[in-house]
Amino acid sequence: TQLTDGAIQTIAQLCKRLAYLDLSYCTQITDDAIQTVAEECTALTTLYLSGCDKLSAMGIVKVEKLLPGTRVY
């Protein structure tokens, strides 16, 4: 999909109680967007990121540190 970092960050800021988020194949999002998700959506239990080509391993590690109980796929 064509969701941008800004769109994902807005969703994260407005939907802080999200428990499940599927961002699979959102090819435009970067580490900045998922960091905001991790910081804002502290109730998140499941996060799908497959096919997000602009994400780095370091960005995913940061999510896992900020949300240690969250399953990241």
Side-chain angles (χ1 to χ4, degrees), residues 40-59:
E40 300 288 340
C41 302
T42 56
L44 204 60
T45 60
T46 307
L47 178 61
Y48 286 91
L49 297 171
S50 38
C52 297
D53 300 331
K54 291 187 178 181
L55 298 181
S56 71
M58 188 64 94

Side-chain angles (χ1 to χ4, degrees), residues 3-69:
L3 291 174
T4 63
D5 279 358
I8 299 302
Q9 289 166 328
T10 298
I11 290 168
Q13 291 164 349
L14 296 175
C15 303
K16 295 178 184 280
R17 292 185 174 186
L18 282 175
Y20 173 94
L21 185 59
D22 188 345
L23 298 174
S24 299
Y25 302 97
C26 290
T27 57
Q28 301 302 312
I29 64 171
T30 68
D31 293 345
D32 292 338
I34 61 163
Q35 180 172 341
T36 301
V37 168
E39 290 170 348
E40 300 288 340
C41 302
T42 56
L44 204 60
T45 60
T46 307
L47 178 61
Y48 286 91
L49 297 171
S50 38
C52 297
D53 300 331
K54 291 187 178 181
L55 298 181
S56 71
M58 188 64 94
I60 293 170
V61 167
K62 194 177 264 189
V63 169
E64 291 171 337
K65 284 184 181 180
L66 289 168
L67 298 170

